[in-house]
Amino acid sequence: MAHNHLFGHLIDQLGHFKNLAHLSLAGNNISGPIPLSIGELSSLKLFNVSENQLNGTFPLCFGQLKSLETLDLGCNQLEGVVSETHFSNLTRLTTLAASQNRLRFEPNSSWIPPFQCRIIRLGQWHLGPKFPRWLKFQKNLSVLDISDAGISDILPTWLLNLSTQFEYVNLSCNQLTGGISYLNVTEIVDLSSNRFTGPLPRVFPALQILILSNNSFSGRLVELVCYSLRKGPMRILAIETNLLSGEIPDCWDHWRGLGYLNLENNKLTGKIPPSLGHLNLLVLNLRSNGMSGELPSTLQHSTRLIMLDLSDNHFSGSVPTWIGDKLSKLEILSLRSNNFDGHLPQKICQLQSLRILDLGHNNISGAIPKCFSNFSAMANKSNQHCYMFQWSSISTNFLYLSALLVLKGREDEYGATLGLVTSMCLSTNRLIGEIPKELGSLVELRSLNLSGNLLIGNIPDEIGNMKLMESLDLSRNQLNGEIPPSFSKLNFLNHFNVSYNNLIGQIPTSTQLQSFESLSYVGNHLCGPPLTKNCTSKGFSTDVANNGSNSEGSKVNWLYVSIVLGFVMGFWGVVAPLFFIRSWRHAYYRKLDNVYGKLCVLGYYWYIV
């Protein structure tokens, strides 16, 4: 009865089914503890209650099930300590799967399991801090997942020298150290988020998925790319956040099955090799390296690309027209923090699936194309995307796309939530002209950043139609006029900045615009809350109303000059005669004495009353 909508508890009467051999209730909403009567099912060979909401402990009664071959308790809420007794009679066990629970297993260091498993999945158990020695006695092991198991140890050489032929090994999210010379695994390896060092390991030629992210592997790619996997069926290669150096070798022609390549956050240099464009990639991420040169025209053949992230490098030249003409499936395009120049090509407007566009921090000039309104994925409501890859049928893990985005005034990495984001960033370039009113049709856009350019004119009233907008930054431009009243409809704004422009008038009243600090409005001629500067009856700030000049510096200078002159004339007009003419001075002090006397009498009178 797997993968239905069953709920409630496992009843204790399950123990009455003495001949029951297979019990599968996986993928339901069953909660509560596992009943102890399970231990009475002497004929049970398969017990699968994975992907439910079972809680409580792992019952000792499982140790009585001498016929049990498959035990799958994965993805529940079981907790507590597991002992050797739980497995004492499980001599026929071939599958032990209980990942994603909160269980702790600390057997005696000399313990030899009574079983010979082919599959062991104990991810998110607490097995450390030492690497579990009992695995050394598993001679038939082909699938091993002990990820996120609290292991802080050197990877033992015996593990990868076992006589068994591994299909899948997942040791990710531990604190394993040391170097690895060879990985004898046929399909999937995940060693990510450890502390491995040394050169990249040699791998089995038929390996399909290799994930070495977040380690300290060093050296060059040439051995792995050009020799170890030259003719292999590799589909996913992820070696981001390591210490790789040198150039990316130009020998990718035989990697035709590769769909995901992530080499971000290394120390790679040189140009993108032309042969990389001959692949049928879905994802290419070279972010945060030291690469340079123009983009090779061969990349236009990667027509399946949904994500192209080349940000934070030293790439140069103009943004190629073929990006819009050939890469029509792009959903994420980030060329941020490079040296791209020239005008934005009109062809880029053909990217109707684009959800994230980041061209910030370059030297791009010219006007913002009006045809940006063609980005239909930013304009039309669509299903939330889930940028997730399942590795294969033997893996329960998923690989999420991630992107480093500047939203809401800060830089954050978006992974599992990336499919919720729609954003456009053209900040810190040399864009000129007015903000196209056509941008207002992108009503599904959550973030728009046009700051740090040379944009002029009024802010289009149509921007107020983007009612889902959460972050809007138009600061450090030369915009003038008033903040459009339609901005009062932007009820989801939590980051807003129009500072250092030439804006005038009253800040529109809304639930959001008054919640931002004055720094969001500084460097303009605005008035009204949240600023302390009041507005005149016509809605202009007092300094604008009192001075017709458009020059802020001119207004401020004449204001202070008039204040100083008034002070000098008034002060010395009164003080000078008193200082130089004795009769005036005496008369002044007699007058003060007279006023003081009257005040004293009046005060005494009120005291008596």
Side-chain angles (χ1 to χ4, degrees), residues 22 49 70 78 95 105 125 160 175 182 207 217 219 232 324 338 368 372 411 484 486:
H22 294 258
V49 290
T70 298
L78 302 175
T95 297
F105 184 37
W125 282 40
L160 298 176
Q175 295 292 318
Y182 181 66
L207 191 65
F217 288 111
N338 280 286
I368 300 174
F372 271 17
E411 189 175 62
S486 62

Side-chain angles (χ1 to χ4, degrees), residues 25 212 216 271 332 370 378-379 413 420:
L25 299 170
L212 304 176
S216 296
K271 299 180 179 182
I332 302 170
K370 295 181 180 180
M378 300 181 185
E413 185 163 12
L420 305 176

Side-chain angles (χ1 to χ4, degrees), residues 241-360:
T241 314
N242 278 280
L243 303 173
L244 303 180
S245 58
E247 299 185 2
I248 298 177
D250 191 15
C251 51
W252 297 87
D253 291 306
H254 298 286
W255 289 61
R256 295 303 174 90
L258 191 66
Y260 179 101
L261 178 60
N262 192 341
L263 301 175
E264 71 163 289
N265 198 21
N266 280 283
K267 299 179 179 180
L268 300 171
T269 57
K271 299 180 179 182
I272 297 177
S275 62
L276 204 55
H278 298 156
L279 307 179
N280 212 8
L281 288 171
L282 291 168
V283 175
L284 176 59
N285 190 344
L286 303 178
R287 181 177 74 203
S288 298
N289 282 284
M291 302 184 68
S292 57
E294 298 187 3
L295 304 188
S297 60
T298 54
L299 276 180
Q300 65 184 300
H301 302 306
S302 300
T303 54
R304 295 176 64 212
L305 272 175
I306 61 172
M307 177 178 181
L308 177 61
D309 191 345
L310 306 178
S311 58
D312 197 14
N313 280 283
H314 306 295
F315 293 116
S316 57
S318 58
V319 177
T321 57
W322 49 257
I323 286 184
D325 197 26
K326 302 294 185 181
L327 308 184
S328 59
K329 296 183 179 180
L330 268 182
E331 299 183 20
I332 302 170
L333 174 61
S334 180
L335 305 179
R336 182 183 184 83
S337 297
N338 280 286
N339 299 316
F340 289 107
D341 54 25
H343 293 192
L344 288 173
Q346 295 286 323
K347 292 279 190 180
I348 202 172
C349 299
Q350 297 181 18
L351 299 176
Q352 296 187 12
S353 300
L354 200 63
R355 300 172 59 85
I356 296 173
L357 174 64
D358 192 346
L359 304 177

Side-chain angles (χ1 to χ4, degrees), residues 104-106 125-132 149-153 174:
R104 176 185 293 268
F105 184 37
E106 298 175 350
W125 282 40
H126 190 281
L127 304 175
K130 293 296 184 179
F131 198 92
I151 303 172
S152 300
D153 201 358
N174 285 289

